[in-house]
Amino acid sequence: MLEWILILLAIAAIAAMFGFGRLSGVALSGAKLLVILALVVFLLMALGVFTLA
């Protein structure tokens, strides 16, 4: 998941540099969504609600 976050952040940065505001916004929104999802999964794992086996 971290790989996808970094890829989307790179796409957002490059798109913003070339002036593609909408593409940059979409990539950044996707990255933010994945960060939130990763934090929720980490929190659930830390509390022992479920494990990844």
Side-chain angles (χ1 to χ4, degrees):
M1 191 175 308
L2 181 62
E3 182 180 349
W4 280 102
I5 293 169
L6 293 175
I7 289 170
L8 286 172
L9 287 175
I11 290 172
I14 293 169
M17 192 169 58
F18 286 117
F20 296 108
R22 288 183 190 227
L23 179 62
S24 176
V26 168
L28 193 58
S29 296
K32 283 196 283 190
L33 180 69
L34 286 177
V35 167
I36 291 170
L37 182 65
L39 289 175
V40 168
V41 168
F42 175 74
L43 180 63
L44 290 175
M45 285 175 55
L47 293 175
V49 175
F50 73 95
T51 59
L52 295 175

